Amino acid sequence: QSTNNEISHPLYPGCAHIGFIVNDLLKMIEITNKYGAKILGEITDFEAGKSVYCTEPSGTFFEMEELN
């Protein structure tokens, strides 16, 4: 029996991420993708703006948010 200990989203106890406020979310997604980052899930619309979780090649989670 194998156990998968890989964490795929920053939604578990003890798992942290850093957040960035950006001016153009789609442009920043494009830029971070060039450096190997991947989007986790989909862009979410909130009353305050749009947000997306990502991970970079070494596995660190980050969030980008474009405020209205």
Side-chain angles (χ1 to χ4, degrees):
Q1 178 181 10
S2 68
T3 303
N4 183 355
N5 291 330
E6 183 178 326
I7 297 174
S8 62
H9 288 77
L11 306 173
Y12 298 95
C15 186
H17 71 281
I18 187 167
F20 299 96
I21 303 296
V22 299
N23 291 325
D24 185 336
L25 185 59
L26 296 179
K27 176 81 172 168
M28 289 308 298
I29 290 170
E30 181 182 323
I31 290 169
T32 58
N33 283 344
K34 288 180 184 179
Y35 289 97
K38 295 186 175 149
I39 293 177
L40 303 174
E42 298 187 14
I43 296 171
T44 304
D45 286 314
F46 293 102
E47 186 175 325
K50 299 181 280 191
S51 177
V52 68
Y53 283 111
C54 304
T55 186
E56 51 85 36
S58 70
T60 303
F61 297 111
F62 64 98
E63 178 181 8
M64 294 187 292
E65 184 173 3
E66 178 184 327
L67 301 175
N68 293 332

